[in-house]
Amino acid sequence: MLNTIAALLLAALSANFIPPVAYEMSLAGNFAEPRPNHFHGGIDIKTAGVEGKPIYSVGDGYVSRLTVGLFGFGNAVYVTHPEGVTSVYCHLRSFSHRIRNILLRRQYAQQSYTADISLTPLDCPVAKGQLIAISGNTGASTAPHLHFEMHDTRTWDYLDPLDFLSPYLKDSLPPIAHGFMACPLDGKGVFNGGTSKQTFGFPSHRLDRHFEAWGKVGFAIWANDYAENSYNHYGVRHTVLSVDGHEVFRSDVTHIPANGNPYVNSWGDYEHYIRSGVWYMRSFIEPGNMLPVLHAAKNNGFIDFNEERDYHLTYTLTDFYGNSSKYEFVVTGRKTVIPAKKVTAGFFNALMRWNRTNIFSRPGLQLVLPYGTLCSDIMLQPSISSTSKAYSPEYSFYKRPFSLFGKGLISIAVRRTVEKPEKLYIVQKSGMERYVGGSYRDGWVTAEIRELSASYCVEYDDRAPQITPLGEEKWERNNTIRFNVADDKSGVKICRGYIDGQFILFEPTWKSHLITCRLTDSTIRKTGKKRRLKLVAVDNRDNEATFETSFVY
């Protein structure tokens, strides 16, 4: 794998890739920053807080894919390059004229705004530096910027875009560590007399305070990288933890495998992040974590304090450009009685093993956790609550945030008779309700889940979405048709509009119920005559609403 990546990088350098923007780049985010359930798959290039910046292809190639409304990317363009890599440009406001025409033809042919379009090398070739799009703020974007990714075309592994664009950025500042976390191994270690996780700040690069430990203890670090031309903070490319000059752990984030995103919740302390908003990245490896960028000397990175002496610990942090910093502290081995491993009391508790498929069954409930979905052994702590009006009890499985590496299966028995069982589905409750979906069979609803700490129950939706026209009197004057389309149960799945029986494209507005059709972008030509408009909205349980009206256009 490393040889393959090295070959790609050499090819990229020889091809002399250029930036996707025509001004000095500044980053709002860098490659592989930890996020809940995923790594940041690329770099976020600032656009001065506005939309409308021209976006250019970083190299010769062809537009191989266009996506709209998928993956949180909003509008996105994929360009495949002959060097074996593919560049991806996301959150775009619009596309170049040629690309936009290709997209519109496919959207109208599929009668869908949401699009995932594959193109051949002859459909839309592009040259290095050719305009392909205009920057925007579409999709899961909280402010205007360009999210830019580079992938190995064959494996789709995420590659660090700085390996291709580093000459165009400036960075002379080293990473800064803000604190470390001590994590005694349950039943096998203590730190400062305690068996729970403890955090400590780094007021300086060398801590005067000494710590005490006995047995096996893991460590984690809260650190960020910085650059002189930005106030943002970034993830750290390279981390080494050594004890008495010997390396015990190393991370080198050169790439992230295509299936590697869920492992971020194991490398980083997911539970602590959900509670505090701060990522402590572990310097030990949980047994189910298969990230190839993590390396441990022995004991999976846990340090065995088994001698009564001083242990000198050093964190060395290095960014992409080689800027480096060190943080040192001393832990004294002090022989201590290690308390036995905690056993969580509970009649329904069940041990789930990381290295097997686990099945948890109770009357009216079954949970299947396939092999590969757990980072380590955990003890399920199920709870159940019920109301007389519910279609099932409400189940949860863990007291603290715990996200699976893959998809688990939950099956819940329905305890009320309904007219249309196909309208039943599972809902997830964790602060807000989220449609999970599922299928009904023989009195049970089964669906895929990812979070064990959330609550799950069965709901029923036989009500169609609500369609509300907005500003009908302005439709002709503004050449724009607008609706609010909402569904307070399973959620809206599809909206399709027609004028005189001919399909027209409605564009949704992210995080709202608003959909908009710009008539000048449609195939409908203005005649000044009365037209018949029909809008069909379908929710996730296939309940359908239809709105019809006449207007002059």
Side-chain angles (χ1 to χ4, degrees), residues 84-143:
V85 295
T86 296
S87 55
V88 186
Y89 314 73
C90 308
H91 306 315
L92 307 170
R93 185 176 75 186
S94 58
F95 304 101
S96 69
H97 183 72
R98 182 182 182 187
I99 295 173
R100 177 175 171 274
N101 285 342
I102 293 172
L103 172 66
L104 283 173
R105 286 199 300 269
R106 297 290 185 92
Q107 286 176 314
Y108 272 85
Q110 298 169 4
Q111 295 195 4
S112 173
Y113 169 78
T114 302
D116 188 353
I117 298 167
S118 296
L119 303 177
T120 73
L122 298 180
D123 288 330
C124 190
V126 293
K128 179 170 62 177
Q130 182 174 332
L131 178 73
I132 57 174
I134 301 298
S135 72
N137 189 31
T138 59
S141 172
T142 57

Short mmCIF file of all heavy atoms in Angstrom, two decimals, residues 84-143:
data_model
loop_
_atom_site.label_atom_id
_atom_site.label_comp_id
_atom_site.label_asym_id
_atom_site.label_seq_id
_atom_site.Cartn_x
_atom_site.Cartn_y
_atom_site.Cartn_z
N GLY A 84 -3.65 8.42 -11.96
CA GLY A 84 -4.21 7.44 -11.05
C GLY A 84 -4.91 8.02 -9.85
O GLY A 84 -5.21 7.29 -8.89
N VAL A 85 -5.18 9.31 -9.87
CA VAL A 85 -5.88 9.96 -8.78
C VAL A 85 -7.12 10.66 -9.31
O VAL A 85 -7.22 10.97 -10.50
CB VAL A 85 -4.99 10.97 -8.03
CG1 VAL A 85 -3.83 10.25 -7.34
CG2 VAL A 85 -4.47 12.05 -8.97
N THR A 86 -8.06 10.92 -8.41
CA THR A 86 -9.29 11.65 -8.74
C THR A 86 -9.44 12.80 -7.77
O THR A 86 -9.35 12.62 -6.55
CB THR A 86 -10.52 10.73 -8.66
OG1 THR A 86 -10.40 9.69 -9.64
CG2 THR A 86 -11.80 11.50 -8.91
N SER A 87 -9.67 13.99 -8.30
CA SER A 87 -9.91 15.17 -7.47
C SER A 87 -11.41 15.42 -7.35
O SER A 87 -12.16 15.18 -8.30
CB SER A 87 -9.20 16.40 -8.04
OG SER A 87 -9.58 16.62 -9.39
N VAL A 88 -11.84 15.89 -6.17
CA VAL A 88 -13.26 16.10 -5.90
C VAL A 88 -13.45 17.52 -5.36
O VAL A 88 -12.73 17.94 -4.44
CB VAL A 88 -13.79 15.06 -4.89
CG1 VAL A 88 -15.31 15.20 -4.74
CG2 VAL A 88 -13.41 13.64 -5.30
N TYR A 89 -14.44 18.23 -5.90
CA TYR A 89 -14.70 19.64 -5.57
C TYR A 89 -16.14 19.72 -5.06
O TYR A 89 -17.08 19.41 -5.80
CB TYR A 89 -14.52 20.51 -6.80
CG TYR A 89 -13.25 20.21 -7.59
CD1 TYR A 89 -13.16 19.05 -8.37
CD2 TYR A 89 -12.15 21.06 -7.55
CE1 TYR A 89 -12.01 18.76 -9.10
CE2 TYR A 89 -10.99 20.78 -8.29
CZ TYR A 89 -10.93 19.62 -9.04
OH TYR A 89 -9.80 19.34 -9.75
N CYS A 90 -16.33 20.19 -3.82
CA CYS A 90 -17.64 20.06 -3.15
C CYS A 90 -18.19 21.40 -2.66
O CYS A 90 -17.46 22.39 -2.54
CB CYS A 90 -17.52 19.11 -1.97
SG CYS A 90 -16.77 17.53 -2.37
N HIS A 91 -19.49 21.40 -2.33
CA HIS A 91 -20.25 22.56 -1.83
C HIS A 91 -20.36 23.66 -2.88
O HIS A 91 -20.47 24.84 -2.56
CB HIS A 91 -19.64 23.12 -0.54
CG HIS A 91 -19.45 22.12 0.55
ND1 HIS A 91 -20.42 21.20 0.88
CD2 HIS A 91 -18.40 21.88 1.39
CE1 HIS A 91 -19.97 20.45 1.88
NE2 HIS A 91 -18.75 20.83 2.19
N LEU A 92 -20.35 23.29 -4.14
CA LEU A 92 -20.35 24.26 -5.23
C LEU A 92 -21.72 24.94 -5.37
O LEU A 92 -22.75 24.32 -5.15
CB LEU A 92 -19.99 23.56 -6.53
CG LEU A 92 -18.69 22.74 -6.50
CD1 LEU A 92 -18.57 21.89 -7.75
CD2 LEU A 92 -17.49 23.66 -6.34
N ARG A 93 -21.68 26.19 -5.78
CA ARG A 93 -22.95 26.88 -6.07
C ARG A 93 -23.48 26.47 -7.42
O ARG A 93 -24.68 26.25 -7.60
CB ARG A 93 -22.75 28.39 -6.03
CG ARG A 93 -24.05 29.17 -6.19
CD ARG A 93 -23.84 30.66 -6.06
NE ARG A 93 -23.19 31.23 -7.24
CZ ARG A 93 -22.78 32.49 -7.34
NH1 ARG A 93 -22.90 33.29 -6.29
NH2 ARG A 93 -22.20 32.93 -8.44
N SER A 94 -22.58 26.35 -8.40
CA SER A 94 -23.00 26.00 -9.75
C SER A 94 -21.82 25.40 -10.50
O SER A 94 -20.68 25.42 -10.02
CB SER A 94 -23.55 27.22 -10.49
OG SER A 94 -22.57 28.25 -10.55
N PHE A 95 -22.12 24.89 -11.68
CA PHE A 95 -21.11 24.25 -12.52
C PHE A 95 -20.82 25.11 -13.75
O PHE A 95 -21.58 26.02 -14.09
CB PHE A 95 -21.60 22.87 -12.96
CG PHE A 95 -22.00 21.97 -11.83
CD1 PHE A 95 -23.33 21.80 -11.49
CD2 PHE A 95 -21.04 21.29 -11.10
CE1 PHE A 95 -23.71 20.97 -10.45
CE2 PHE A 95 -21.40 20.45 -10.06
CZ PHE A 95 -22.73 20.29 -9.73
N SER A 96 -19.75 24.78 -14.44
CA SER A 96 -19.49 25.44 -15.72
C SER A 96 -20.65 25.14 -16.68
O SER A 96 -21.41 24.19 -16.49
CB SER A 96 -18.17 24.94 -16.32
OG SER A 96 -18.30 23.59 -16.73
N HIS A 97 -20.77 25.96 -17.71
CA HIS A 97 -21.91 25.84 -18.62
C HIS A 97 -22.00 24.43 -19.21
O HIS A 97 -23.09 23.84 -19.25
CB HIS A 97 -21.79 26.88 -19.74
CG HIS A 97 -22.94 26.89 -20.70
ND1 HIS A 97 -24.20 27.35 -20.35
CD2 HIS A 97 -23.03 26.45 -21.99
CE1 HIS A 97 -25.01 27.21 -21.39
NE2 HIS A 97 -24.34 26.67 -22.38
N ARG A 98 -20.89 23.89 -19.65
CA ARG A 98 -20.91 22.57 -20.27
C ARG A 98 -21.33 21.48 -19.28
O ARG A 98 -22.16 20.62 -19.59
CB ARG A 98 -19.53 22.24 -20.85
CG ARG A 98 -19.48 20.90 -21.56
CD ARG A 98 -18.08 20.63 -22.08
NE ARG A 98 -18.01 19.37 -22.80
CZ ARG A 98 -16.89 18.82 -23.24
NH1 ARG A 98 -15.73 19.45 -23.03
NH2 ARG A 98 -16.91 17.67 -23.88
N ILE A 99 -20.74 21.53 -18.07
CA ILE A 99 -21.06 20.52 -17.06
C ILE A 99 -22.51 20.65 -16.62
O ILE A 99 -23.22 19.65 -16.42
CB ILE A 99 -20.10 20.64 -15.86
CG1 ILE A 99 -18.67 20.30 -16.31
CG2 ILE A 99 -20.54 19.74 -14.71
CD1 ILE A 99 -17.62 20.55 -15.25
N ARG A 100 -22.97 21.90 -16.49
CA ARG A 100 -24.36 22.12 -16.07
C ARG A 100 -25.33 21.55 -17.09
O ARG A 100 -26.35 20.95 -16.72
CB ARG A 100 -24.60 23.62 -15.89
CG ARG A 100 -26.03 24.00 -15.53
CD ARG A 100 -26.11 25.49 -15.26
NE ARG A 100 -27.48 25.92 -15.12
CZ ARG A 100 -28.27 26.27 -16.14
NH1 ARG A 100 -27.79 26.22 -17.38
NH2 ARG A 100 -29.50 26.67 -15.93
N ASN A 101 -25.05 21.70 -18.35
CA ASN A 101 -25.94 21.16 -19.38
C ASN A 101 -25.99 19.64 -19.33
O ASN A 101 -27.06 19.03 -19.50
CB ASN A 101 -25.48 21.63 -20.76
CG ASN A 101 -25.83 23.08 -21.02
OD1 ASN A 101 -26.67 23.66 -20.33
ND2 ASN A 101 -25.17 23.68 -22.00
N ILE A 102 -24.85 19.01 -19.09
CA ILE A 102 -24.82 17.55 -18.95
C ILE A 102 -25.68 17.13 -17.76
O ILE A 102 -26.48 16.19 -17.84
CB ILE A 102 -23.37 17.05 -18.79
CG1 ILE A 102 -22.58 17.28 -20.07
CG2 ILE A 102 -23.35 15.57 -18.39
CD1 ILE A 102 -21.09 16.99 -19.93
N LEU A 103 -25.50 17.83 -16.64
CA LEU A 103 -26.25 17.51 -15.42
C LEU A 103 -27.75 17.67 -15.64
O LEU A 103 -28.54 16.77 -15.29
CB LEU A 103 -25.79 18.40 -14.27
CG LEU A 103 -26.61 18.32 -12.98
CD1 LEU A 103 -26.47 16.95 -12.36
CD2 LEU A 103 -26.20 19.41 -12.00
N LEU A 104 -28.17 18.79 -16.22
CA LEU A 104 -29.60 19.04 -16.41
C LEU A 104 -30.24 17.97 -17.30
O LEU A 104 -31.35 17.50 -17.03
CB LEU A 104 -29.82 20.43 -17.01
CG LEU A 104 -29.68 21.61 -16.04
CD1 LEU A 104 -29.76 22.93 -16.79
CD2 LEU A 104 -30.75 21.56 -14.95
N ARG A 105 -29.53 17.58 -18.35
CA ARG A 105 -30.08 16.54 -19.23
C ARG A 105 -30.31 15.24 -18.45
O ARG A 105 -31.35 14.59 -18.62
CB ARG A 105 -29.13 16.30 -20.41
CG ARG A 105 -29.15 17.40 -21.46
CD ARG A 105 -28.57 16.91 -22.78
NE ARG A 105 -27.19 16.46 -22.64
CZ ARG A 105 -26.13 17.23 -22.80
NH1 ARG A 105 -26.29 18.53 -23.10
NH2 ARG A 105 -24.91 16.75 -22.68
N ARG A 106 -29.37 14.89 -17.62
CA ARG A 106 -29.51 13.65 -16.86
C ARG A 106 -30.59 13.78 -15.79
O ARG A 106 -31.35 12.84 -15.53
CB ARG A 106 -28.17 13.29 -16.20
CG ARG A 106 -27.06 13.02 -17.19
CD ARG A 106 -27.24 11.73 -17.95
NE ARG A 106 -26.10 11.44 -18.81
CZ ARG A 106 -25.05 10.71 -18.45
NH1 ARG A 106 -25.01 10.17 -17.24
NH2 ARG A 106 -24.05 10.53 -19.28
N GLN A 107 -30.66 14.93 -15.11
CA GLN A 107 -31.69 15.13 -14.09
C GLN A 107 -33.08 15.04 -14.69
O GLN A 107 -33.98 14.43 -14.11
CB GLN A 107 -31.49 16.48 -13.38
CG GLN A 107 -30.32 16.51 -12.42
CD GLN A 107 -30.12 17.89 -11.82
OE1 GLN A 107 -30.15 18.90 -12.52
NE2 GLN A 107 -29.93 17.95 -10.51
N TYR A 108 -33.27 15.67 -15.86
CA TYR A 108 -34.58 15.62 -16.49
C TYR A 108 -34.89 14.22 -17.01
O TYR A 108 -36.03 13.76 -16.96
CB TYR A 108 -34.67 16.66 -17.61
CG TYR A 108 -35.13 18.01 -17.12
CD1 TYR A 108 -34.24 18.93 -16.59
CD2 TYR A 108 -36.48 18.34 -17.13
CE1 TYR A 108 -34.66 20.15 -16.11
CE2 TYR A 108 -36.93 19.56 -16.65
CZ TYR A 108 -36.01 20.46 -16.14
OH TYR A 108 -36.45 21.67 -15.64
N ALA A 109 -33.86 13.52 -17.50
CA ALA A 109 -34.09 12.15 -17.97
C ALA A 109 -34.48 11.23 -16.82
O ALA A 109 -35.33 10.34 -16.97
CB ALA A 109 -32.83 11.63 -18.66
N GLN A 110 -33.89 11.46 -15.63
CA GLN A 110 -34.18 10.63 -14.46
C GLN A 110 -35.34 11.18 -13.63
O GLN A 110 -35.78 10.53 -12.68
CB GLN A 110 -32.93 10.51 -13.59
CG GLN A 110 -31.77 9.84 -14.29
CD GLN A 110 -30.46 9.96 -13.51
OE1 GLN A 110 -30.42 10.49 -12.40
NE2 GLN A 110 -29.37 9.47 -14.10
N GLN A 111 -35.79 12.40 -13.99
CA GLN A 111 -36.86 13.09 -13.26
C GLN A 111 -36.55 13.14 -11.77
O GLN A 111 -37.35 12.79 -10.91
CB GLN A 111 -38.21 12.43 -13.51
CG GLN A 111 -38.67 12.52 -14.95
CD GLN A 111 -40.13 12.21 -15.15
OE1 GLN A 111 -40.89 11.98 -14.20
NE2 GLN A 111 -40.57 12.21 -16.39
N SER A 112 -35.33 13.60 -11.46
CA SER A 112 -34.89 13.68 -10.06
C SER A 112 -33.87 14.79 -9.91
O SER A 112 -32.94 14.91 -10.73
CB SER A 112 -34.27 12.35 -9.62
OG SER A 112 -33.70 12.47 -8.33
N TYR A 113 -34.04 15.60 -8.87
CA TYR A 113 -33.03 16.61 -8.55
C TYR A 113 -31.77 15.95 -8.02
O TYR A 113 -30.65 16.24 -8.46
CB TYR A 113 -33.57 17.62 -7.53
CG TYR A 113 -32.50 18.51 -6.97
CD1 TYR A 113 -32.02 19.59 -7.70
CD2 TYR A 113 -31.95 18.26 -5.70
CE1 TYR A 113 -31.01 20.40 -7.20
CE2 TYR A 113 -30.95 19.07 -5.20
CZ TYR A 113 -30.48 20.14 -5.95
OH TYR A 113 -29.48 20.94 -5.45
N THR A 114 -31.93 15.04 -7.05
CA THR A 114 -30.79 14.30 -6.52
C THR A 114 -30.17 13.48 -7.65
O THR A 114 -30.87 12.80 -8.40
CB THR A 114 -31.21 13.38 -5.37
OG1 THR A 114 -31.83 14.16 -4.35
CG2 THR A 114 -30.03 12.63 -4.80
N ALA A 115 -28.86 13.57 -7.78
CA ALA A 115 -28.22 12.93 -8.94
C ALA A 115 -26.89 12.32 -8.54
O ALA A 115 -26.17 12.84 -7.69
CB ALA A 115 -28.01 13.96 -10.05
N ASP A 116 -26.58 11.21 -9.18
CA ASP A 116 -25.27 10.57 -9.08
C ASP A 116 -24.96 10.05 -10.48
O ASP A 116 -25.38 8.97 -10.88
CB ASP A 116 -25.30 9.44 -8.06
CG ASP A 116 -23.92 8.87 -7.78
OD1 ASP A 116 -22.96 9.27 -8.47
OD2 ASP A 116 -23.79 8.02 -6.88
N ILE A 117 -24.22 10.85 -11.22
CA ILE A 117 -24.05 10.64 -12.66
C ILE A 117 -22.61 10.25 -12.97
O ILE A 117 -21.66 10.95 -12.59
CB ILE A 117 -24.42 11.92 -13.44
CG1 ILE A 117 -25.90 12.26 -13.20
CG2 ILE A 117 -24.12 11.78 -14.91
CD1 ILE A 117 -26.27 13.66 -13.64
N SER A 118 -22.43 9.13 -13.65
CA SER A 118 -21.11 8.68 -14.09
C SER A 118 -20.91 9.06 -15.55
O SER A 118 -21.83 8.93 -16.37
CB SER A 118 -20.98 7.16 -13.92
OG SER A 118 -21.06 6.80 -12.56
N LEU A 119 -19.70 9.53 -15.87
CA LEU A 119 -19.38 9.96 -17.22
C LEU A 119 -18.17 9.20 -17.74
O LEU A 119 -17.32 8.73 -16.97
CB LEU A 119 -19.08 11.46 -17.24
CG LEU A 119 -20.19 12.38 -16.71
CD1 LEU A 119 -19.72 13.83 -16.72
CD2 LEU A 119 -21.45 12.25 -17.53
N THR A 120 -18.06 9.09 -19.05
CA THR A 120 -16.94 8.42 -19.69
C THR A 120 -15.84 9.45 -20.00
O THR A 120 -16.10 10.67 -19.98
CB THR A 120 -17.37 7.74 -20.99
OG1 THR A 120 -17.62 8.76 -21.98
CG2 THR A 120 -18.64 6.90 -20.78
N PRO A 121 -14.63 9.00 -20.30
CA PRO A 121 -13.55 9.94 -20.63
C PRO A 121 -13.86 10.85 -21.82
O PRO A 121 -13.25 11.92 -21.95
CB PRO A 121 -12.36 9.02 -20.94
CG PRO A 121 -12.63 7.80 -20.13
CD PRO A 121 -14.11 7.61 -20.19
N LEU A 122 -14.77 10.44 -22.68
CA LEU A 122 -15.09 11.25 -23.85
C LEU A 122 -16.24 12.24 -23.62
O LEU A 122 -16.46 13.13 -24.44
CB LEU A 122 -15.44 10.34 -25.04
CG LEU A 122 -14.34 9.39 -25.50
CD1 LEU A 122 -14.83 8.54 -26.67
CD2 LEU A 122 -13.09 10.17 -25.89
N ASP A 123 -16.97 12.07 -22.50
CA ASP A 123 -18.14 12.93 -22.26
C ASP A 123 -17.75 14.36 -21.94
O ASP A 123 -18.37 15.31 -22.42
CB ASP A 123 -19.00 12.36 -21.13
CG ASP A 123 -19.74 11.11 -21.52
OD1 ASP A 123 -20.06 10.97 -22.71
OD2 ASP A 123 -20.00 10.26 -20.64
N CYS A 124 -16.71 14.52 -21.10
CA CYS A 124 -16.37 15.87 -20.66
C CYS A 124 -14.89 15.95 -20.25
O CYS A 124 -14.56 16.05 -19.07
CB CYS A 124 -17.27 16.30 -19.51
SG CYS A 124 -17.13 18.05 -19.07
N PRO A 125 -13.96 15.90 -21.20
CA PRO A 125 -12.55 16.06 -20.86
C PRO A 125 -12.26 17.49 -20.41
O PRO A 125 -12.91 18.44 -20.87
CB PRO A 125 -11.83 15.74 -22.18
CG PRO A 125 -12.85 15.97 -23.23
CD PRO A 125 -14.18 15.66 -22.63
N VAL A 126 -11.29 17.64 -19.52
CA VAL A 126 -10.92 18.97 -19.02
C VAL A 126 -9.40 19.07 -19.00
O VAL A 126 -8.69 18.07 -18.86
CB VAL A 126 -11.49 19.26 -17.62
CG1 VAL A 126 -12.99 19.36 -17.65
CG2 VAL A 126 -11.04 18.20 -16.61
N ALA A 127 -8.91 20.29 -19.09
CA ALA A 127 -7.47 20.56 -19.04
C ALA A 127 -7.12 21.18 -17.69
O ALA A 127 -7.97 21.76 -17.01
CB ALA A 127 -7.07 21.49 -20.18
N LYS A 128 -5.87 21.04 -17.32
CA LYS A 128 -5.39 21.68 -16.09
C LYS A 128 -5.65 23.18 -16.16
O LYS A 128 -5.33 23.84 -17.15
CB LYS A 128 -3.90 21.40 -15.92
CG LYS A 128 -3.28 22.02 -14.69
CD LYS A 128 -1.87 21.52 -14.43
CE LYS A 128 -0.92 21.88 -15.55
NZ LYS A 128 0.47 21.43 -15.24
N GLY A 129 -6.27 23.71 -15.11
CA GLY A 129 -6.58 25.13 -15.06
C GLY A 129 -7.88 25.52 -15.72
O GLY A 129 -8.24 26.71 -15.74
N GLN A 130 -8.64 24.55 -16.24
CA GLN A 130 -9.92 24.87 -16.90
C GLN A 130 -11.00 25.11 -15.86
O GLN A 130 -11.11 24.39 -14.86
CB GLN A 130 -10.32 23.72 -17.81
CG GLN A 130 -11.62 23.96 -18.59
CD GLN A 130 -11.90 22.85 -19.58
OE1 GLN A 130 -10.98 22.21 -20.08
NE2 GLN A 130 -13.18 22.62 -19.87
N LEU A 131 -11.84 26.12 -16.08
CA LEU A 131 -12.96 26.42 -15.19
C LEU A 131 -13.95 25.26 -15.19
O LEU A 131 -14.38 24.81 -16.26
CB LEU A 131 -13.66 27.69 -15.62
CG LEU A 131 -14.90 28.10 -14.80
CD1 LEU A 131 -14.47 28.62 -13.44
CD2 LEU A 131 -15.72 29.15 -15.54
N ILE A 132 -14.30 24.76 -14.01
CA ILE A 132 -15.28 23.67 -13.93
C ILE A 132 -16.48 24.02 -13.06
O ILE A 132 -17.53 23.38 -13.17
CB ILE A 132 -14.64 22.37 -13.41
CG1 ILE A 132 -13.99 22.59 -12.04
CG2 ILE A 132 -13.64 21.80 -14.41
CD1 ILE A 132 -13.46 21.31 -11.40
N ALA A 133 -16.35 25.05 -12.18
CA ALA A 133 -17.46 25.33 -11.26
C ALA A 133 -17.29 26.69 -10.61
O ALA A 133 -16.26 27.36 -10.79
CB ALA A 133 -17.53 24.24 -10.19
N ILE A 134 -18.31 27.06 -9.84
CA ILE A 134 -18.31 28.27 -9.03
C ILE A 134 -18.52 27.86 -7.58
O ILE A 134 -19.41 27.05 -7.28
CB ILE A 134 -19.41 29.25 -9.48
CG1 ILE A 134 -19.20 29.64 -10.95
CG2 ILE A 134 -19.43 30.49 -8.59
CD1 ILE A 134 -17.91 30.36 -11.23
N SER A 135 -17.71 28.40 -6.68
CA SER A 135 -17.77 27.99 -5.27
C SER A 135 -19.09 28.41 -4.64
O SER A 135 -19.74 29.36 -5.08
CB SER A 135 -16.61 28.59 -4.48
OG SER A 135 -16.80 29.99 -4.31
N GLY A 136 -19.47 27.68 -3.59
CA GLY A 136 -20.76 27.97 -2.95
C GLY A 136 -20.80 27.54 -1.50
O GLY A 136 -19.78 27.51 -0.79
N ASN A 137 -22.01 27.16 -1.08
CA ASN A 137 -22.25 26.81 0.32
C ASN A 137 -23.33 25.73 0.39
O ASN A 137 -24.14 25.70 1.31
CB ASN A 137 -22.68 28.06 1.09
CG ASN A 137 -22.74 27.86 2.58
OD1 ASN A 137 -21.97 27.08 3.14
ND2 ASN A 137 -23.66 28.56 3.25
N THR A 138 -23.36 24.84 -0.61
CA THR A 138 -24.42 23.83 -0.68
C THR A 138 -24.05 22.61 0.14
O THR A 138 -22.90 22.38 0.50
CB THR A 138 -24.66 23.41 -2.14
OG1 THR A 138 -23.44 22.88 -2.70
CG2 THR A 138 -25.13 24.58 -2.99
N GLY A 139 -25.08 21.80 0.44
CA GLY A 139 -24.86 20.59 1.22
C GLY A 139 -24.64 20.88 2.68
O GLY A 139 -25.12 21.88 3.23
N ALA A 140 -23.87 20.01 3.36
CA ALA A 140 -23.62 20.15 4.80
C ALA A 140 -22.47 21.11 5.04
O ALA A 140 -21.45 20.77 5.64
CB ALA A 140 -23.32 18.78 5.41
N SER A 141 -22.65 22.32 4.57
CA SER A 141 -21.64 23.36 4.72
C SER A 141 -22.21 24.46 5.60
O SER A 141 -23.34 24.90 5.39
CB SER A 141 -21.26 23.93 3.34
OG SER A 141 -20.43 25.06 3.47
N THR A 142 -21.42 24.90 6.57
CA THR A 142 -21.91 25.93 7.49
C THR A 142 -21.47 27.33 7.10
O THR A 142 -21.92 28.31 7.68
CB THR A 142 -21.43 25.63 8.93
OG1 THR A 142 -20.00 25.55 8.94
CG2 THR A 142 -22.00 24.30 9.42
N ALA A 143 -20.58 27.42 6.11
CA ALA A 143 -20.13 28.72 5.60
C ALA A 143 -19.52 28.49 4.22
O ALA A 143 -19.05 27.40 3.92
CB ALA A 143 -19.12 29.36 6.54
#
